[in-house]
Each structure stands twice: as structure tokens, then as C-alpha cells.
Amino acid sequence: MALLSRHLTLSLQRSLRLVAPGCRYVSQTATKTVSEFEYDAPSMKTPVPGPRSKELTRQLGEIQNVGAINFFCNYEESRGNYLVDADGNRMLDLYTQISSVPLGYNHPALMKALTNPNNLSAFVNRPALGMMPPENFPEKLTESLLSIAPSGMTRVQTMACGSCSNENAFKAMFIWYKNKERGTNDPSPEETSSCMINQSPGCPDLSILSFMGAFHGRTMGCLATTHSKIIHKLDIPSFDWPIAPFPRLKYPLEEFARENAQEEARCLEEVEDLIVKWRQKGKPVAGIVVEPIQSEGGDNHASADFFIKLRGIARKHGCAFHVDEVQTGGGATGKFWAHEHWGTDNPADLVSFSKKMLTGGYYHRDELQPDKSQYPHLLSRARGQGTFCAIDARDDVTRDKLLLKIRDKGVLLGGCGEKSIRFRPALVFKEYHAHQFLNIFNDVLSQYK
Amino acid sequence: MALLSRHLTLSLQRSLRLVAPGCRYVSQTATKTVSEFEYDAPSMKTPVPGPRSKELTRQLGEIQNVGAINFFCNYEESRGNYLVDADGNRMLDLYTQISSVPLGYNHPALMKALTNPNNLSAFVNRPALGMMPPENFPEKLTESLLSIAPSGMTRVQTMACGSCSNENAFKAMFIWYKNKERGTNDPSPEETSSCMINQSPGCPDLSILSFMGAFHGRTMGCLATTHSKIIHKLDIPSFDWPIAPFPRLKYPLEEFARENAQEEARCLEEVEDLIVKWRQKGKPVAGIVVEPIQSEGGDNHASADFFIKLRGIARKHGCAFHVDEVQTGGGATGKFWAHEHWGTDNPADLVSFSKKMLTGGYYHRDELQPDKSQYPHLLSRARGQGTFCAIDARDDVTRDKLLLKIRDKGVLLGGCGEKSIRFRPALVFKEYHAHQFLNIFNDVLSQYK
């Protein structure tokens, strides 16, 4: 796969540079691979769309919007890398249903999985998974989705499609952010009553920061973070959320190292400015959502350094960091997850997926669990005036252990009384220092046995 | 089915009235029905959740939120009306995965449909239906979903789940509303540029009117019209959209006819007030969404008269009328669609479905087609000052035919020039008269051959 990627990139670069206009570049390295169930080459019988596709488009036009139809397919006859259309044209498919077919068409292993009676019973009986899951659900999740969980993520929430995966990841970030603000307190009566009529404080003015050119789906929450095509957005009410520029790198990278580093720095600076601006507006950024490679927006890449710094900005400002791998996940970039190219153990707080995974959902770090009551077994009696704050631990042993663990992560705190932890920051302590502390505190609490 | 409903209602009413506290009411009419593939009675081996379900809940708790888990199921062993749990308890299931199992568990006809190789290839190959649908797609849609289309609806858009069905129905209403406002004009440059950054006029301040107690899904657009449980709403940013009271009827209906009619009139009056108020706020109501029976909100019913009048209010004010049949559709109310009980030929502009339909989507009237350019082949040169407006028809024959058809539907208009239609309303002409006209005009145009 790395070979393919390298060959493809080099070939494309070479053809762009060396081939005179009008010349047709023919790859010297193309080799014929025929697996037992695949075809051996394209075979074209008509222009595309052919007459049968055109007639079917006319028929479907009576029932549905057909503005985006390319042609009709014969999925039974399609095999491996070859898609067969309704006119019998066989095409080498390098687009795979917008990157959604993991192992080619009609792969025998997938056909087998789908006809397995145990799996069939889940399809036909439509279990309400949140209430009455099938007996083998924990085991199946552990064997499948959790066995390939991104680094640092121990939990997964399944969903039926990419949009629902991102919508629910957004909701998890909002809930996490508000829980963090609330600490150990219950929601106030004002919050519980106002939320039922869509008003704050129950439905708070929080935002998600996204990037120009991003595509995260087309339901209304996702759509507020999607900025790739006018036709997706026009006429649909939206949220006033911040939108940062995504780096526009120049290629080949080795010739533009300095310009590209400047471009990425400019975008990161803008991200930080927007976070501050939206906080001042009263619409704090609860989370940042980003694709490891902007796909719908034009296959825009950025360096590992960019993403690692972006993740750092999220932590500094107390925003959750959501990596949308709906299109990139599942092996297509040469790693199972595209973010693995960043080479960091702690790439994100949430990673969403769908398409080639043939299901949908999001992985998340432990503290992003939506209904998590924030450590009431460990902490109580949060109190304070100004910066002069305290919280009680369960007992003196817990308090002392927490203090040590927190110090090991780089934060100094004091104890007081029998089992209290006291906070005495300097008067130059800013909101982002509070987020720094809270992120570390959360890490320690979530690992505390 | 009508018999069951009648027996069940009468039995429940009788038991509520006649049975002394502490007495157990036993239905006299319960009869044992055993189909060849079903069990014959419940059979309980442990309390529910049993030890195996408890252990599985603990295991799943390591991976997912388990706050809503009731118990784990053995779907392979479940049959017909009987659900078997992970501890071998067999229960008569009157809840069916929140009303999602149309023909009981593992119905042989459904198993057969699912293992049909032609259907399998669609599951395993994940076609991007909007771009490259399978060859048999128009035929399958016509045979299946269109054969049971609600009255007045000729088009259907398929979706993967109930939330996506409603989200996309909402988007169709917004787009329809804006197209109606725009007439034959293209979107302005201000609209196309502002929509990419979530701002008006491209992302307009439009709203959907919903009812207190409603449940339309949990993605962010749907959630703004859902008002049934605090836990669904709390901490999630929302839209400032109007919420009307849903009638609270008193039972038995025959004893409270007058009170119930008053209650319904009160709710309808409030609907109209809210539409006016939100228009004045600059957030016009593009559509009204309602369940034929509020399910999640407490099984709240209203009369056919209520829904017919509500539909009339929608037309009067130029709002689309969306009936959410995600839970009620598919036969459970004794009609295929619950709105058939209203006895009207023109129940709605959109009807969404999922659950028992084992797919999802929405039906809609022809003019709600999202990408429809508004009759440019018939109309052009919309122009006017104040109420002094005109539009040109394609030719004089078309103009004259349109004028007659529009008059047949109760609107008087005049011709002028070679092929123009002139509008000369009185100075007491209000916005809702304009909507009345536009609805009728749209009906005529959409039927014009």
C-alpha cells in the first residue's frame, strides 16, 4: 500500500512535470493483478451513461431528485476493483462509492459475514441497541471495533451513518464541556426547564470550531461545520460558529518547506484568535473538528506538526478535539487511521468513523462519556470565592494520592483540613490555565482506581 | 386489527373503571394463537435482568454508556411475538424495539428477503444511492415504497434512519420556502457567499414549528423540534423555534366532547399566534412538524378535525406541513399510515417514515423537490412594485390556460400584454393571502403539462 501511494504520487508528480501538453502519460509500473474472483481489465461497450442508465435516470426522475446521478450499476456483476454498470461497461473503480467500499465489490469474506445467521438476525430484527442489545454485542464490539481503537480510546459508540456519528460526537463534546463547567453540581432548575424550549442556559450558546473546506455531513449540526459546497448549505438555517482557514500547502513539499510552515502557523494563529473571539462573544468553543485530510474540500493535507499543535491549542483552551475519520479511516492512507501518521499517543479526544468501516460511530476517551457523573464517589463540596477554591476528596488517603498524581503531571496543589484540596493560583491565572489544570485533573481522576 | 384495538381500549377502560384496587383484571377475550414458527406462551426462568444480562451490562459498561440498557437478547431464538432474553426468559413482546419490528421476530418472509442475493449485493457494496444506484432501484422503489405512498405524494427520498429522514425533510421545507420567496430568481451573490460561513441571508433565520411533548429525533435539527425528555436536550445548543401546546384530551372522549373541542381550539389558536409572532421576530415558520400520535411524549392523541385544521393553518400561512410517521407508520394504528384516519385526500406536504418500514425516508408532494428550479420553462420576468406585480408565461396559450386553471381553484387574476399575468390585489391584501395564492399557483404549475 505504501508502495502504491509512493508510486502514485511520484507518477502523478512526474507526469505533471515531464509530460508535454498533449502527450499521454502511461505508467511504466502498471502490472496486471488478477485475483480469482476479479476481472482482469476494464471493458467499455457504450459511452457512460449508456442508454440503459439514461432510461433509468428518466424513470427515477419521476420519483426522486436525480441531479447527482452518474449512472446505474449492476452490483451483482461487480467484482473486486471493477464496477459494472447497467449497460455492461466494466470500469476500474478508483472512487469506490466515495471511498466506502473497503475490500472491493462482493468480497467473499464480506458476503460470508453478511449471510451468517447470527448477523442476519440482527439485521432483520432491528434491535434497539441502547436498550436491548444482542447477547454477543460486548464480545463483537471488543473483537471488532475496539481491536482497532485509536490510541488512548477505550470506548466506542456505534451509529448507523457518518452524519449521525458526527452529530453525536458533537453532542458528547457539548455535554462534556458543560459537565466540566458544572463540576460536581447537578444541572440547575433553570437549565432543566429552559432546555425543553430550546433556550439557554439549558440549551447553551456553545460552538464547534471547524475549517473552511471541511465536510462533516449534512444533518443540521454537521452542516454547521461543513463548508465545501454552496448547494449543501444554501437556504438551511445554521449556527454562528467559528470557521478557521485550513492550510493550503504548496507542492512538492520539499521545495516549499518554509512557505508551508508559515502557512500552517498562520492558520493555527487564526484558530486561537477565533477561540478567544468566540469566548468573548459568549459562544465558547466546546470542541474543534477536523479531517486528517480534507476530502470533499479538495484533498487538502497538512503536516503532522500542524495537527499536533492544533491538538495542543484545543487542550490549552479546554476544547475537545474531534478527528473526523469518516472518509480517511479504514486503511486507505496506509495506516488504519490517518491520524496515526501524526505519530502521537494522544491524537484526539474523539474519532468518528463510517464508510469503509461498514458501520458508523465514534471512539472517545473515557471522560467524554456523555452521561458520566463527574466522580461523585471521589469528590464533593466544591466551593470557593474568586480564585480561592477548594474541593473535598473521599478521604485523606485519596486526597494525598490525588495530590501526588497531579503533581507528577505538572500541577502543584495543596491540601487543607482533613481531606480537602485547596487551590491558590496567582492573580495572573487565566481561563486557559484553568483548562490546562482541568484536563490534567480529569486525566488523573479517570485513571484513579 | 381494529378488533384488537377496540378490545384493548375497552378492556383497559373497563379495568380502570371496574376493577377494585388490588384486584387483577384478567381479559376474558384472550385467545391463544400459535403460528407454526412461534412459541405458545411466555416462559420466565429468572427475574429480568437475569444474571447473564447483568454480567453483559457490566462488560458493555466498559465500552459504552449503559444507562438505558434493559436486558440483553437472544435474537436468534426470538420468534414472532416472543422475545427471548440472554437468560432464556421468553416474553410476549408488546413493545417491539420501540415499535420497530413490523412482523415479529425472525419472520420467514423477511429472512428470505434479506438473504436474496440481489438484496445482499446492495448491503455489502454500500452503493452511493444518489450517484450510482443499483439497476433495479427505480423498479424496487415503485413496487415497494411508492405502492404505499400517502395520498397526494408521488415522490420519495430514502434515508438510513428516522433522524436523517426528519433532518432532510426539514431541509426540503427550508429550501422550498426560500425558493417560493425567490420566485424565478437565482440566489444572490450575498446568499451564496454568506451560506459558506453559516450567516444570513444564505443561511436564513427560518424556523420549524413543533409541539411540546414531540419527539422527532436527536440529531441537532430534529432535536430542536423534540420536547419530550430533559436528558435529550440538556447542554445541546439549539434554535429559537416556536413550540405550541399539543392538545391534552380527556377520556372517555364521548363524555368530554365539549372540553376536548375547546382544548384543541386553544392549541390551534396558539399555533397561529406563534406563526405570526415568529414572522414578526424575523424567523418565519417554514414548516410545521407533527406526529399523528405523540408517542415518546405520552401517547397523546388529537382528533382528525384538529389535524385537518392544523394543515389548513399551515397552508394559510405558507408553511409546509410535515407529518412524522416514523413511529406510527407501517400499519400499527389499523391503517397503513396513521394520518389516513383523518379522512382527507391531502393530508400533508411531507410524510417521514422509518422503524417498521425497515428503511427510512420521506414522501413529499411534487413541489417540495429540493433542487427543483421553479418552472423556468413556464414562467419568467417576475416584476412589480408594491402590490402591482406581473409575471410572464411561456406564451399566450399557456397564460390563458393558467388563468383558467387558477380561477377553477378560486383565484381571480388578469392577463395583460402578449403573455403576461397581472396581479392587482386590494390594499387589504395580507401576507397570508399571498401564501394562499402561492399554494394554489404551485398546485396548478406542478400539474401543468
Side-chain angles (χ1 to χ4, degrees):
Chain A
M1 199 174 276
L3 191 71
L4 171 70
S5 167
R6 194 176 146 71
H7 271 296
L8 192 62
T9 310
L10 288 177
S11 298
L12 288 171
Q13 285 180 1
R14 211 176 301 135
S15 68
L16 284 170
R17 289 192 206 165
L18 302 181
V19 179
C23 288
R24 181 146 166 257
Y25 178 77
V26 181
S27 164
Q28 300 302 306
T29 59
T31 53
K32 204 173 81 170
T33 317
V34 188
S35 88
E36 62 209 53
F37 84 105
E38 203 182 64
Y39 299 104
D40 63 354
S43 157
M44 301 304 285
K45 297 193 160 59
T46 73
V48 177
R52 176 113 180 97
S53 273
K54 283 187 181 163
E55 167 57 20
L56 290 168
T57 304
R58 192 197 59 73
Q59 287 177 25
L60 189 62
E62 307 273 314
I63 305 170
Q64 286 194 344
N65 171 5
V66 289
I69 296 284
N70 291 356
F71 52 83
F72 281 75
C73 302
N74 183 335
Y75 286 104
E76 290 82 48
E77 293 297 317
S78 300
R79 294 276 180 285
N81 289 291
Y82 295 90
L83 177 63
V84 176
D85 80 1
D87 291 276
N89 298 299
R90 186 200 303 153
M91 291 167 267
L92 177 65
D93 190 355
L94 304 183
Y95 192 36
T96 61
Q97 313 294 322
I98 322 179
S99 198
S100 300
V101 182
L103 303 175
Y105 293 102
N106 293 306
H107 193 286
L110 287 177
M111 294 300 270
K112 202 174 149 195
L114 218 75
T115 46
N116 174 333
N118 287 13
N119 298 336
L120 260 183
S121 79
F123 289 123
V124 82
N125 293 314
R126 254 197 115 113
L129 291 174
M131 289 170 56
M132 301 182 206
E135 205 170 351
N136 60 8
F137 198 50
E139 182 194 332
K140 288 269 175 192
L141 283 179
T142 306
E143 272 176 8
S144 58
L145 292 175
L146 284 178
S147 73
I148 39 117
S151 172
M153 311 222 169
T154 54
R155 305 180 73 84
V156 65
Q157 189 63 48
T158 54
M159 292 285 154
C161 71
S163 284
C164 288
S165 304
N166 284 336
E167 286 275 334
N168 283 281
F170 290 2
K171 287 167 60 181
M173 294 195 280
F174 291 129
I175 294 169
W176 164 81
Y177 190 91
K178 289 299 291 184
N179 276 342
K180 205 170 52 153
E181 268 192 0
R182 234 177 242 129
T184 57
N185 299 322
D186 284 334
S188 69
E190 291 71 33
E191 284 175 312
T192 53
S193 61
S194 61
C195 78
M196 291 296 265
I197 52 169
N198 299 10
Q199 303 296 317
S200 73
C203 295
D205 268 336
L206 294 177
S207 61
I208 303 278
L209 182 141
S210 56
F211 288 88
M212 190 51 72
F215 183 92
H216 300 292
R218 296 172 64 176
T219 46
M220 290 183 69
C222 295
L223 193 59
T225 61
T226 286
H227 320 280
S228 49
K229 284 196 183 134
I230 288 168
I231 195 169
H232 299 156
K233 303 272 292 177
L234 186 70
D235 296 344
I236 314 297
S238 193
F239 292 105
D240 177 27
W241 290 355
I243 306 152
F246 192 83
R248 288 302 219 157
L249 302 188
K250 291 184 179 168
Y251 291 85
L253 292 177
E254 58 277 19
E255 288 179 20
F256 295 97
R258 202 169 52 91
E259 289 89 336
N260 288 338
Q262 281 173 351
E263 167 67 357
E264 293 192 340
R266 177 186 76 85
C267 294
L268 290 170
E269 200 176 317
E270 181 78 8
V271 167
E272 227 170 330
D273 285 353
L274 288 168
I275 293 174
V276 172
K277 210 162 156 187
W278 254 254
R279 190 191 297 146
Q280 286 163 352
K281 265 194 187 196
K283 299 179 181 178
V285 175
I288 296 176
V289 62
V290 71
E291 297 155 282
I293 300 171
Q294 274 196 347
S295 303
E296 185 83 9
D299 270 35
N300 306 317
H301 298 243
S303 71
D305 183 60
F306 172 80
F307 288 105
I308 291 167
K309 284 182 176 151
L310 183 63
R311 205 259 184 279
I313 290 173
R315 283 189 84 92
K316 173 176 164 192
H317 291 278
C319 317
F321 190 59
H322 170 185
V323 177
D324 177 351
E325 293 248 21
V326 168
Q327 187 153 170
T328 49
T333 67
K335 304 259 188 197
F336 199 92
W337 302 109
H339 68 249
E340 291 172 43
H341 290 284
W342 308 344
T344 164
D345 282 348
N346 184 5
D349 297 308
L350 307 95
V351 172
S352 54
F353 59 89
S354 187
K355 292 194 177 273
K356 279 184 292 299
M357 304 293 288
L358 298 180
T359 178
Y362 62 95
Y363 297 96
H364 59 94
R365 287 161 57 81
D366 193 45
E367 66 263 33
L368 263 288
Q369 190 184 341
D371 69 340
K372 184 153 193 159
S373 60
Q374 293 276 297
Y375 315 109
H377 62 297
L378 289 179
L379 300 174
S380 62
R381 301 188 64 240
R383 56 202 184 275
Q385 224 173 17
T387 64
F388 205 97
C389 299
I391 194 165
D392 282 9
R394 179 171 51 192
D395 50 46
D396 56 344
V397 177
T398 304
R399 188 262 314 272
D400 295 345
K401 274 194 196 162
L402 285 176
L403 288 177
L404 287 175
K405 281 174 189 291
I406 291 165
R407 197 180 62 189
D408 285 349
K409 299 230 168 195
V411 175
L412 290 178
L413 275 169
C416 64
E418 183 204 348
K419 54 182 182 178
S420 297
I421 297 173
R422 58 179 153 174
F423 300 75
R424 299 291 185 270
L427 295 179
V428 292
F429 186 84
K430 293 226 163 55
E431 189 170 340
Y432 70 82
H433 298 107
H435 288 304
Q436 262 177 5
F437 160 68
L438 284 169
N439 285 326
I440 289 169
F441 197 31
N442 266 318
D443 285 351
V444 167
L445 289 166
S446 66
Q447 286 153 21
Y448 193 86
K449 302 291 169 208
Chain B
M1 198 173 275
L3 190 72
L4 171 70
S5 165
R6 194 176 146 73
H7 272 297
L8 192 62
T9 310
L10 288 176
S11 298
L12 287 171
Q13 284 179 2
R14 212 176 298 136
S15 70
L16 284 169
R17 288 192 206 164
L18 302 181
V19 179
C23 287
R24 182 147 165 253
Y25 177 78
V26 181
S27 163
Q28 301 300 310
T29 58
T31 53
K32 205 173 81 169
T33 317
V34 188
S35 87
E36 61 209 52
F37 84 104
E38 204 184 62
Y39 299 104
D40 63 353
S43 157
M44 301 303 286
K45 297 193 158 63
T46 73
V48 177
R52 176 110 180 97
S53 272
K54 283 186 182 163
E55 167 57 20
L56 289 168
T57 304
R58 193 196 59 71
Q59 286 177 26
L60 188 61
E62 306 273 313
I63 306 171
Q64 285 195 342
N65 170 7
V66 289
I69 296 284
N70 292 356
F71 51 84
F72 281 75
C73 301
N74 183 336
Y75 286 104
E76 290 82 49
E77 294 297 318
S78 300
R79 293 277 181 284
N81 289 289
Y82 295 91
L83 177 63
V84 177
D85 80 1
D87 291 276
N89 298 299
R90 186 199 305 153
M91 291 167 267
L92 177 64
D93 189 354
L94 305 183
Y95 192 36
T96 61
Q97 312 295 322
I98 323 179
S99 198
S100 300
V101 182
L103 303 175
Y105 293 102
N106 292 306
H107 194 285
L110 287 178
M111 295 299 270
K112 203 173 147 195
L114 218 76
T115 47
N116 174 333
N118 287 12
N119 298 337
L120 260 182
S121 79
F123 288 124
V124 82
N125 291 316
R126 256 196 114 115
L129 291 174
M131 289 170 55
M132 300 182 206
E135 207 171 347
N136 60 7
F137 198 49
E139 182 194 330
K140 288 268 175 196
L141 284 178
T142 306
E143 272 175 9
S144 59
L145 291 174
L146 283 178
S147 72
I148 39 118
S151 173
M153 310 220 169
T154 53
R155 303 180 74 84
V156 65
Q157 189 63 48
T158 55
M159 293 284 154
C161 71
S163 284
C164 288
S165 304
N166 284 336
E167 286 275 336
N168 284 282
F170 290 3
K171 287 167 60 180
M173 294 195 281
F174 291 129
I175 294 170
W176 164 82
Y177 190 92
K178 290 299 291 183
N179 276 341
K180 204 169 52 153
E181 268 191 0
R182 236 178 241 128
T184 57
N185 301 322
D186 284 334
S188 70
E190 291 71 33
E191 284 176 311
T192 52
S193 61
S194 61
C195 79
M196 291 297 266
I197 52 169
N198 299 11
Q199 303 296 317
S200 73
C203 295
D205 267 336
L206 295 177
S207 60
I208 303 279
L209 182 141
S210 56
F211 289 88
M212 190 51 72
F215 183 92
H216 299 292
R218 295 172 65 176
T219 45
M220 290 183 71
C222 295
L223 193 59
T225 61
T226 286
H227 319 280
S228 49
K229 285 196 182 132
I230 288 167
I231 195 169
H232 299 156
K233 304 272 293 176
L234 187 70
D235 296 345
I236 314 298
S238 193
F239 293 105
D240 177 26
W241 290 354
I243 306 152
F246 192 83
R248 287 302 217 157
L249 302 188
K250 291 185 180 168
Y251 291 86
L253 293 177
E254 57 277 19
E255 287 179 22
F256 295 98
R258 201 169 54 90
E259 289 88 337
N260 287 339
Q262 281 173 352
E263 167 67 356
E264 293 192 339
R266 178 186 76 85
C267 294
L268 291 170
E269 200 176 318
E270 181 78 9
V271 167
E272 226 169 332
D273 286 353
L274 288 168
I275 292 174
V276 172
K277 211 161 154 187
W278 253 255
R279 191 190 298 146
Q280 286 164 352
K281 264 193 188 197
K283 299 178 181 180
V285 174
I288 295 177
V289 61
V290 71
E291 296 155 281
I293 300 170
Q294 274 196 348
S295 303
E296 184 84 8
D299 270 33
N300 305 317
H301 298 242
S303 70
D305 183 61
F306 172 81
F307 287 106
I308 291 168
K309 284 181 176 153
L310 183 63
R311 205 260 184 280
I313 290 173
R315 282 189 85 90
K316 174 176 164 191
H317 291 278
C319 317
F321 190 59
H322 170 186
V323 177
D324 176 351
E325 293 248 22
V326 168
Q327 187 154 167
T328 49
T333 67
K335 306 258 187 198
F336 199 93
W337 302 108
H339 68 251
E340 292 172 42
H341 290 284
W342 308 344
T344 163
D345 282 348
N346 184 5
D349 296 308
L350 306 96
V351 171
S352 55
F353 58 89
S354 188
K355 291 194 179 272
K356 278 184 294 296
M357 305 292 291
L358 299 179
T359 178
Y362 63 95
Y363 296 97
H364 60 92
R365 288 161 57 81
D366 192 46
E367 66 263 34
L368 264 288
Q369 190 183 342
D371 70 340
K372 184 152 192 163
S373 58
Q374 293 277 297
Y375 316 109
H377 61 298
L378 289 180
L379 300 174
S380 63
R381 302 188 62 238
R383 55 201 184 276
Q385 220 171 20
T387 63
F388 205 98
C389 300
I391 195 165
D392 282 9
R394 179 173 50 190
D395 50 45
D396 56 344
V397 177
T398 304
R399 188 261 315 271
D400 295 345
K401 275 194 195 162
L402 285 175
L403 287 178
L404 287 175
K405 282 175 189 291
I406 289 165
R407 197 179 63 189
D408 285 349
K409 300 228 168 197
V411 175
L412 290 178
L413 275 170
C416 64
E418 184 204 346
K419 54 183 182 178
S420 298
I421 297 172
R422 58 178 152 175
F423 300 75
R424 300 291 185 272
L427 296 179
V428 292
F429 186 84
K430 294 227 161 55
E431 190 169 341
Y432 69 83
H433 299 107
H435 287 305
Q436 262 176 6
F437 160 68
L438 284 170
N439 285 326
I440 289 169
F441 198 30
N442 266 317
D443 285 352
V444 168
L445 290 167
S446 67
Q447 286 153 21
Y448 193 86
K449 301 291 169 207

